[in-house]
Amino acid sequence: QVQLVESGGGSVQAGGSLRLSCALSGRPFTGSVMGWFRRTPGKEREFVALMRWRGGSEFYADSVKGRFTISRDNPKNTLYLQMNSLKDEDTAVYYCARGSQYTTDQSAYDVWGQGTQVTVAS
Protein backbone atom coordinates (compact mmCIF):
# COMPACT_ATOMS: atom_id res chain seq x y z
CA GLN A 1 0.00 0.00 0.00
CA VAL A 2 1.35 3.42 -0.98
CA GLN A 3 1.85 5.86 1.84
CA LEU A 4 3.12 9.42 2.08
CA VAL A 5 4.14 10.95 5.39
CA GLU A 6 5.05 14.62 5.67
CA SER A 7 7.26 16.16 8.33
CA GLY A 8 9.25 19.31 8.95
CA GLY A 9 6.47 21.79 9.54
CA GLY A 10 6.55 24.29 12.36
CA SER A 11 6.55 27.96 13.26
CA VAL A 12 9.02 30.41 11.77
CA GLN A 13 9.48 34.16 11.57
CA ALA A 14 8.78 35.92 8.31
CA GLY A 15 11.89 35.82 6.14
CA GLY A 16 12.94 32.50 7.61
CA SER A 17 13.25 29.05 6.08
CA LEU A 18 11.84 25.56 6.56
CA ARG A 19 12.36 22.29 4.75
CA LEU A 20 9.45 19.91 4.47
CA SER A 21 10.00 16.21 3.88
CA CYS A 22 7.66 13.59 2.45
CA ALA A 23 8.60 9.98 3.07
CA LEU A 24 7.33 7.56 0.43
CA SER A 25 6.62 3.90 1.03
CA GLY A 26 4.95 1.15 -0.89
CA ARG A 27 5.27 0.19 -4.54
CA PRO A 28 7.84 1.92 -6.76
CA PHE A 29 7.13 5.50 -7.78
CA THR A 30 8.93 5.35 -11.13
CA GLY A 31 6.99 7.35 -13.66
CA SER A 32 5.00 9.17 -11.01
CA VAL A 33 4.65 12.91 -10.60
CA MET A 34 5.06 14.24 -7.10
CA GLY A 35 3.50 17.46 -5.92
CA TRP A 36 3.20 19.79 -2.97
CA PHE A 37 -0.08 21.51 -2.24
CA ARG A 38 -1.29 23.71 0.62
CA ARG A 39 -4.51 24.69 2.29
CA THR A 40 -5.10 27.92 4.16
CA PRO A 41 -8.12 28.14 6.50
CA GLY A 42 -11.13 29.35 4.57
CA LYS A 43 -9.55 28.68 1.20
CA GLU A 44 -9.40 25.77 -1.17
CA ARG A 45 -6.28 23.65 -1.36
CA GLU A 46 -3.89 25.09 -3.93
CA PHE A 47 -0.95 23.88 -5.97
CA VAL A 48 2.56 24.78 -4.82
CA ALA A 49 5.13 22.75 -6.77
CA LEU A 50 5.58 19.52 -8.69
CA MET A 51 8.26 17.40 -10.32
CA ARG A 52 8.72 14.03 -11.99
CA TRP A 53 9.91 11.39 -9.56
CA ARG A 54 12.57 10.23 -12.01
CA GLY A 55 13.93 13.77 -11.89
CA GLY A 56 13.57 17.15 -13.47
CA SER A 57 10.60 19.09 -14.84
CA GLU A 58 10.14 21.16 -11.71
CA PHE A 59 7.22 23.57 -11.88
CA TYR A 60 6.07 26.15 -9.34
CA ALA A 61 3.11 28.31 -8.54
CA ASP A 62 3.84 31.95 -9.28
CA SER A 63 3.38 32.79 -5.60
CA VAL A 64 6.37 30.65 -4.55
CA LYS A 65 8.62 30.80 -7.62
CA GLY A 66 12.14 31.84 -6.69
CA ARG A 67 11.57 31.11 -2.99
CA PHE A 68 10.63 27.41 -2.86
CA THR A 69 12.52 24.47 -4.30
CA ILE A 70 11.13 20.98 -4.82
CA SER A 71 13.58 18.07 -4.91
CA ARG A 72 13.82 14.37 -4.16
CA ASP A 73 16.30 11.83 -2.88
CA ASN A 74 15.65 8.56 -4.71
CA PRO A 75 17.68 6.23 -2.46
CA LYS A 76 15.91 7.65 0.58
CA ASN A 77 12.51 7.66 -1.16
CA THR A 78 11.94 11.17 0.11
CA LEU A 79 10.49 14.29 -1.49
CA TYR A 80 11.45 17.72 -0.18
CA LEU A 81 10.19 21.27 -0.29
CA GLN A 82 12.78 23.86 0.69
CA MET A 83 10.99 27.07 1.61
CA ASN A 84 12.99 30.29 1.88
CA SER A 85 12.00 33.92 2.44
CA LEU A 86 8.77 32.79 4.02
CA LYS A 87 5.86 35.21 4.15
CA ASP A 88 2.74 35.42 6.29
CA GLU A 89 0.67 34.22 3.34
CA ASP A 90 2.66 30.97 3.22
CA THR A 91 0.97 29.90 6.46
CA ALA A 92 -0.96 26.74 5.61
CA VAL A 93 -1.15 23.00 5.95
CA TYR A 94 1.17 21.52 3.35
CA TYR A 95 0.47 18.20 1.66
CA CYS A 96 2.55 16.02 -0.62
CA ALA A 97 0.81 13.89 -3.20
CA ARG A 98 1.49 11.37 -5.94
CA GLY A 99 0.02 11.88 -9.35
CA SER A 100 -0.23 9.96 -12.59
CA GLN A 101 -0.03 13.00 -14.86
CA TYR A 102 2.21 16.04 -15.10
CA THR A 103 -0.42 18.54 -14.04
CA THR A 104 -1.37 20.99 -11.30
CA ASP A 105 -4.90 19.55 -11.34
CA GLN A 106 -5.39 17.91 -7.95
CA SER A 107 -7.81 15.33 -9.36
CA ALA A 108 -4.84 13.62 -11.01
CA TYR A 109 -3.23 12.94 -7.64
CA ASP A 110 -4.42 9.73 -6.03
CA VAL A 111 -2.30 9.38 -2.91
CA TRP A 112 -2.01 12.15 -0.31
CA GLY A 113 -0.15 12.59 2.93
CA GLN A 114 -1.78 13.74 6.15
CA GLY A 115 -0.34 17.25 5.95
CA THR A 116 2.05 19.28 8.05
CA GLN A 117 1.35 22.73 9.47
CA VAL A 118 3.55 25.69 8.57
CA THR A 119 2.99 28.92 10.47
CA VAL A 120 4.81 32.11 9.52
CA ALA A 121 4.73 34.90 12.05
CA SER A 122 5.50 38.49 11.18
Side-chain angles (χ1 to χ4, degrees), residues 3-45:
Q3 282 191 318
L4 304 176
V5 179
E6 301 98 335
S7 61
S11 296
V12 64
Q13 293 291 315
S17 299
L18 279 176
R19 188 177 77 160
L20 305 183
S21 300
C22 174
L24 288 63
S25 62
R27 60 183 179 178
F29 285 80
T30 303
S32 297
V33 174
M34 299 300 300
W36 286 98
F37 298 81
R38 65 186 182 188
R39 189 197 303 272
T40 301
K43 294 186 178 180
E44 293 186 357
R45 189 166 54 192

Side-chain angles (χ1 to χ4, degrees), residues 19-25 29 34 36 51-56 58 69-81:
R19 188 177 77 160
L20 305 183
S21 300
C22 174
L24 288 63
S25 62
F29 285 80
M34 299 300 300
W36 286 98
M51 69 178 298
R52 297 189 184 279
W53 181 248
R54 65 174 181 264
E58 295 87 356
T69 302
I70 187 172
S71 64
R72 92 278 185 258
D73 185 328
N74 275 359
K76 293 184 178 180
N77 257 10
T78 303
L79 180 75
Y80 300 102
L81 185 68

Side-chain angles (χ1 to χ4, degrees), residues 34-37 47-51 59-61 64 68 70 81 109:
M34 299 300 300
W36 286 98
F37 298 81
F47 164 75
V48 175
L50 65 84
M51 69 178 298
F59 183 74
Y60 299 91
V64 306
F68 290 11
I70 187 172
L81 185 68
Y109 292 78

Side-chain angles (χ1 to χ4, degrees), residues 10 60 67 76-77 84 91-93 95 112 121:
Y60 299 91
R67 300 188 298 121
K76 293 184 178 180
N77 257 10
N84 299 328
T91 294
V93 177
Y95 302 87
W112 292 79

